[in-house]
């Protein structure tokens, strides 16, 4: 029996208030309105960005909320005017939309679409907590539930704007390619698109989680000759070397600052440095590790509600500090191609996935991430 045009009752993981665990609840998911798509989520990753939200209890202030933004699923139904996907299509959800009409979308080097709705200048992250008409498509116990990051994928069904959905290869394994929805694309693109890593260069990656490992994969694909991984969790070193790191170091093993260690190791600093933690002190160390003249440092980590305090002398000789979002990819345009590249075995996502759990184990997944025992946990719905 078709569910198109009807309210769907399903399970979702709701965060009722800051600091609370996720609660598995029955929710009502309304039909999609004009230019919206309702998707049956098959697999969703627990991303470091969610972990930041859970840890920083003052940064996000829209509750109750259904989080989740790294996912893949199947189109259940579409609203009026939707032309790029249809019922039954396999799709990737996109926290970063591509409207195709704003200044960023029209700029060859831009990807931060104006429809993203991230109000970054605010103290609190007020973002895409409702659909474009100012209402929610979710309800639980008779009350509306907020959306999150244009996607809300910790739900068996979700409603997303058409501009935040990308159709992908019909035979792609959704439990793998869901990583292309955020973590992999962000890290891989940071090396390929944002830093533009050059053949024969030396790269340093601070933070060896799922995104950091993706930076390593991108750096290796770009031809870097030496890739140094930096993390205080030595358990991640083996995995980093598996995907392409040539060596790994723990800052806690040294008495001198890590930037001095890296300068000693490389002679004059490195060509490309990536901060994939979201720590302002690590950003300064990463920048200081770069070659003083032509070194490029890319901030990949999510700097939630913090300010940077960096000595201006670090820029005097020509170093560059850059930001990146979604690895510089134009989302709807690039994601299908990345999925096709995965299907063609141009890169391997398997090493990034260390745990696979059902949605009702989401709090267990949070604990695995919090204690550093997990690179990426995929939640199956």
């Amino acid at each position: 029996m078709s569910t198109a045009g009807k309210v769907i009752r399903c399970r979702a993981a709701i965060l009722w208030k800051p600091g609370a665990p996720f609660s598995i609840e029955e929710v009502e998911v309304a039909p999609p309105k004009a230019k919206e798509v309702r998707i049956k989520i098959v697999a969703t990753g627990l991303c470091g960005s969610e972990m930041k939200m859970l840890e920083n209890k003052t940064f996000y202030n829209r509750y109750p909320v259904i989080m989740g933004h790294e996912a893949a699923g199947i189109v259940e139904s579409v609203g009026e005017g939707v032309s790029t996907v249809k019922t039954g299509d396999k799709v990737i959800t996109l926290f970063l939309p591509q409207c195709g009409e704003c200044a960023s979308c029209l700029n060859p080097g831009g990807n931060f679409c104006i429809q993203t709705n991230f109000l970054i200048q605010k103290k609190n992250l007020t973002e895409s907590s409702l659909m474009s008409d100012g209402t929610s498509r979710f309800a639980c116990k008779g009350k509306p539930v907020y959306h999150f990051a244009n996607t809300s994928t910790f739900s068996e069904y979700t409603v997303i704007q058409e501009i935040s959905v990308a159709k992908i290869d019909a035979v792609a394994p959704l439990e793998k390619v869901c990583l292309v929805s955020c973590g992999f694309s962000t890290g891989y693109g940071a090396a390929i698109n944002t830093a533009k890593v050059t053949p024969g260069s030396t790269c340093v990656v601070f933070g060896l989680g799922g995104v950091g490992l993706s930076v390593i994969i991108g750096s290796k694909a770009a031809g870097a000759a030496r890739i140094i991984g930096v993390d205080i969790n030595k358990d991640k070193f083996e995995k980093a070397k598996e995907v392409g790191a040539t060596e790994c170091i723990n800052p806690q093993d040294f008495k001198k600052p890590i930037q001095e260690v890296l300068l000693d190791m490389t002679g004059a600093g490195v060509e490309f440095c990536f901060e994939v933690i979201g720590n302002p002190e690590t950003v300064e160390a990463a920048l200081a590790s770069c070659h003083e003249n032509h070194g490029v440092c890319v901030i990949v980590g999510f700097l939630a509600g913090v300010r940077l305090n960096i000595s201006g002398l670090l820029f005097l000789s020509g170093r560059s500090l850059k930001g990146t979002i979604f690895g510089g990819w134009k989302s709807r345009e690039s994601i299908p191609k990345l999925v096709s590249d995965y299907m063609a075995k141009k890169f391997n996502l398997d090493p990034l996935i260390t745990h696979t759990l059902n949605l009702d184990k989401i709090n267990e997944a949070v604990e695995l991430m919090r204690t550093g025992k997990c690179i990426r946990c995929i939640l199956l719905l």
Side-chain angles (χ1 to χ4, degrees), residues 111-158:
N111 74 330
F112 192 72
C113 177
I114 193 172
Q115 297 295 331
T116 305
N117 296 328
F118 288 170
L119 302 184
I120 292 184
Q121 301 304 319
K122 300 286 187 180
K123 179 180 178 181
N124 294 313
L125 182 67
T126 306
E127 43 79 36
S128 46
S129 52
L130 295 169
M131 298 301 284
S132 57
D133 65 353
T135 64
S136 173
R137 302 292 171 268
F138 297 114
C140 181
K141 300 177 182 178
K143 298 179 180 179
V145 178
Y146 284 112
H147 293 248
F148 177 79
N150 298 309
T151 48
S152 289
T153 61
F154 293 164
S155 174
E156 290 176 324
Y157 288 85
T158 189

Side-chain angles (χ1 to χ4, degrees), residues 205-227:
V205 181
F206 285 78
L208 301 178
V211 180
L213 296 186
S214 300
V215 172
I216 293 173
I217 294 171
S219 298
K220 183 179 179 182
R226 190 178 183 187
I227 304 172

Side-chain angles (χ1 to χ4, degrees), residues 2-21:
S2 173
T3 51
K6 301 176 182 177
V7 171
I8 290 178
R9 288 178 173 80
C10 66
R11 295 182 313 144
I14 292 182
L15 201 62
W16 289 100
K17 61 182 181 179

Side-chain angles (χ1 to χ4, degrees), residues 44-46 70 175-176 178-179 208-211 213 233 235-240 242-243 348-358 364-380:
T44 182
L46 179 61
E70 182 181 76
E175 73 280 4
K176 306 285 189 184
C178 61
L179 292 183
L208 301 178
V211 180
L213 296 186
N233 184 350
D235 292 341
K236 296 181 178 180
F237 290 179
E238 182 179 351
K239 185 74 72 172
E242 179 185 340
V243 300
N348 186 11
L349 297 172
D350 292 4
L352 305 178
I353 302 170
T354 55
H355 295 76
T356 301
L357 299 171
N358 291 327
E364 183 179 326
V366 169
E367 191 60 23
L368 286 168
M369 288 282 284
R370 183 175 286 132
T371 55
K373 297 176 182 177
C374 174
I375 299 296
R376 216 22 151 240
C377 180
I378 301 302
L379 298 170
L380 301 178

Side-chain angles (χ1 to χ4, degrees), residues 85-363:
V85 295
K86 64 183 184 304
T87 299
D89 284 346
K90 283 188 175 180
V91 293
I92 294 283
T93 63
L94 304 169
F95 74 90
L96 185 70
Q98 184 183 354
C99 72
E101 300 173 353
C102 70
S104 288
C105 287
L106 294 174
N107 186 306
N111 74 330
F112 192 72
C113 177
I114 193 172
Q115 297 295 331
T116 305
N117 296 328
F118 288 170
L119 302 184
I120 292 184
Q121 301 304 319
K122 300 286 187 180
K123 179 180 178 181
N124 294 313
L125 182 67
T126 306
E127 43 79 36
S128 46
S129 52
L130 295 169
M131 298 301 284
S132 57
D133 65 353
T135 64
S136 173
R137 302 292 171 268
F138 297 114
C140 181
K141 300 177 182 178
K143 298 179 180 179
V145 178
Y146 284 112
H147 293 248
F148 177 79
N150 298 309
T151 48
S152 289
T153 61
F154 293 164
S155 174
E156 290 176 324
Y157 288 85
T158 189
V159 177
I160 303 176
Q161 287 185 296
E162 181 184 12
I163 59 173
S164 292
V165 178
K167 180 181 176 180
I168 60 169
D169 192 323
V171 296
L174 300 183
E175 73 280 4
K176 306 285 189 184
V177 299
C178 61
L179 292 183
V180 179
S181 175
C182 177
F184 174 77
S185 301
T186 295
Y188 187 74
I192 300 288
N193 299 326
T194 309
K196 293 181 171 55
V197 169
T198 52
S201 61
T202 297
C203 300
V204 173
V205 181
F206 285 78
L208 301 178
V211 180
L213 296 186
S214 300
V215 172
I216 293 173
I217 294 171
S219 298
K220 183 179 179 182
R226 190 178 183 187
I227 304 172
I228 304 169
V230 181
D231 203 295
I232 59 173
N233 184 350
K234 292 184 177 181
D235 292 341
K236 296 181 178 180
F237 290 179
E238 182 179 351
K239 185 74 72 172
K241 291 177 180 177
E242 179 185 340
V243 300
T246 54
E247 57 211 293
C248 296
I249 57 175
N250 181 347
Q252 296 177 339
D253 290 342
F254 303 92
K255 293 182 179 179
K256 61 175 67 175
I258 190 64
Q259 56 264 41
E260 293 183 20
V261 174
L262 289 165
L263 288 173
D264 290 343
M265 291 174 65
T266 59
V270 301
E271 285 92 340
F272 304 99
C273 235
F274 301 87
E275 201 282 350
V276 202
I277 302 168
N279 183 317
E281 293 179 359
T282 316
V283 171
E284 183 167 20
L287 181 62
S289 302
C290 289
H291 188 282
E292 62 182 5
N293 178 234
H294 55 262
V296 176
C297 179
V298 179
I299 300 174
V300 189
F302 185 42
L303 288 167
V306 300
R307 289 185 177 275
L308 297 176
N309 184 15
I310 297 176
S311 170
L313 288 174
L314 288 174
F315 297 99
L316 185 63
S317 52
R319 288 183 183 90
S320 299
L321 180 63
K322 305 179 73 174
T324 186
I325 184 167
F326 200 51
W329 303 106
K330 288 183 180 292
S331 57
R332 301 189 78 205
E333 179 182 311
S334 302
I335 290 314
K337 296 175 184 176
L338 285 173
V339 171
S340 295
D341 284 349
Y342 167 74
M343 298 300 291
K345 301 187 185 306
K346 293 185 179 180
F347 52 79
N348 186 11
L349 297 172
D350 292 4
L352 305 178
I353 302 170
T354 55
H355 295 76
T356 301
L357 299 171
N358 291 327
L359 179 66
D360 59 5
K361 300 289 186 182
I362 187 170
N363 290 313

Side-chain angles (χ1 to χ4, degrees), residues 5-46:
K6 301 176 182 177
V7 171
I8 290 178
R9 288 178 173 80
C10 66
R11 295 182 313 144
I14 292 182
L15 201 62
W16 289 100
K17 61 182 181 179
F22 286 101
S23 177
I24 303 298
E25 306 278 4
E26 182 180 83
V27 298
E28 295 179 347
V29 185
K33 295 186 179 181
K35 294 292 185 178
E36 296 176 357
V37 180
R38 188 160 62 182
I39 299 168
K40 176 178 172 53
I41 299 296
V42 173
T44 182
L46 179 61

